[in-house]
Amino acid sequence: MALNKHEFQDNSTLVKAFSEQLAGIIKQAISEKGRASVAVSGGSTPKPLFEALASIDLPWSKVDITLADERWVDADHEASNEKLVRENLLVNHAASANFVSMTTSDTNATDAQGAIEKRLESLLPLDILILGMGEDGHTASLFPCSEQIKTGLDLNYPHSVLATQPTTAPHQRMSLSLAEIVKSRNVFLHITGEKKREVLEQALQQHTALEKPIKAVCDNCTVNLVWAP
Ligand code: 6PG
């Protein structure tokens, strides 16, 4: 499948162009079917993008926002992706967007898979999915080190989400499955820095999908790489 590369000279140019592109897709989806669905990743990379997106005047009340993955912590925990999104994306113009959380009060993420799948149902397939990538080649919470990686990468897995437990990173997670990721209408991989570009290139050229899960995404759908140094 294709990897469309959008490389920028610096992060502020990236953020401006990328947020405007996303706004265009959101408007188009709303005009075609009344609502738009967007899943974003956590981590440190997307914060400036969230701020830029939230400052764009759009019919945000018609936008459903969820996550590519969530760490299994309370919504006010420092590591919570929901907290990051609430503080940086669901503000300004975007305060009226509808947020669909990926956590429950269950102690074990596995027990919540069914409930989260049901919650996400009306948003799927996603109009926009923005993925990140870790230096181990994980994307969403599809970690190469986790026991659940085969299931997460199985294109015949019949569910949109699965609970995962990385061994090289903290917290249980809830993640979109590869089977659901590849159904998304517009998949973006948003990464910054030389190191991550190298990791991506090596993943695609020298590794299996189980070793570097980002390869599974690139092999099975069109991915728009959005990169700046
Ligand atoms: C998470 C993520 C994850 C993230 C990468 C990159 O919650 O951990 O959604 O897949 O996108 O780990 O994270 P950074 O942007 O912090 O490098």
Side-chain angles (χ1 to χ4, degrees):
M1 291 279 176
L3 180 70
N4 299 328
K5 295 185 181 176
H6 306 272
E7 299 189 333
F8 296 89
Q9 63 194 27
D10 56 46
N11 201 39
S12 62
T13 317
L14 177 155
V15 162
K16 187 170 187 304
F18 191 21
S19 57
E20 284 168 4
Q21 182 184 11
L22 294 170
I25 298 171
I26 290 172
K27 274 192 223 155
Q28 180 75 22
I30 294 173
S31 78
E32 283 170 14
K33 54 191 180 68
R35 295 196 72 79
S37 58
V38 181
V40 298
S41 288
S44 55
T45 309
K47 201 170 158 191
L49 176 72
F50 291 167
E51 286 160 6
L53 206 49
S55 72
I56 302 179
D57 191 5
L58 287 171
W60 283 105
S61 61
K62 296 179 177 161
V63 181
D64 298 303
I65 297 181
T66 190
L67 295 160
D69 65 315
E70 179 61 288
R71 294 110 182 246
W72 209 250
V73 293
D74 290 339
D76 57 358
H77 190 287
E78 273 315 305
S80 161
N81 285 340
E82 174 166 340
K83 177 175 159 76
L84 176 83
V85 167
R86 287 196 185 280
E87 290 177 356
N88 298 281
L89 179 54
L90 301 176
V91 294
N92 207 339
H93 290 293
S96 60
N98 173 47
F99 182 71
V100 180
S101 165
M102 250 195 172
T103 49
T104 65
S105 55
D106 292 277
T107 308
N108 291 313
T110 330
D111 296 336
Q113 273 179 198
I116 304 293
E117 179 165 36
K118 214 167 172 32
R119 254 188 226 169
L120 293 184
E121 223 166 53
S122 66
L123 279 64
L124 304 177
L126 294 159
D127 291 307
I128 294 173
L129 168 61
I130 307 173
L131 293 170
M133 184 192 75
E135 291 187 3
D136 60 354
H138 82 260
T139 191
S141 274
L142 301 173
F143 282 83
C145 59
S146 69
E147 241 180 55
Q148 300 79 16
I149 192 62
K150 277 201 180 141
T151 307
L153 297 186
D154 180 357
L155 288 168
N156 295 315
Y157 175 68
H159 304 289
S160 57
V161 295
L162 75 161
T164 67
Q165 175 68 74
T167 54
T168 54
H171 314 299
Q172 304 178 67
R173 315 285 178 118
M174 187 64 70
S175 179
L176 289 179
S177 59
L178 179 68
E180 189 57 51
I181 288 174
V182 301
K183 290 183 197 152
S184 309
R185 298 190 170 98
N186 295 278
V187 178
F188 294 92
L189 173 60
H190 177 201
I191 56 174
T192 54
E194 290 299 341
K195 175 71 189 161
K196 283 200 183 174
R197 188 162 66 171
E198 257 171 52
V199 169
L200 177 64
E201 277 168 15
Q202 285 178 5
L204 300 183
Q205 289 161 15
Q206 301 167 16
H207 289 276
T208 64
L210 283 173
E211 287 167 348
K212 302 283 171 192
I214 190 60
K215 179 173 162 64
V217 179
C218 297
D219 283 352
N220 289 290
C221 67
T222 296
V223 173
N224 296 289
L225 169 67
V226 181
W227 179 88

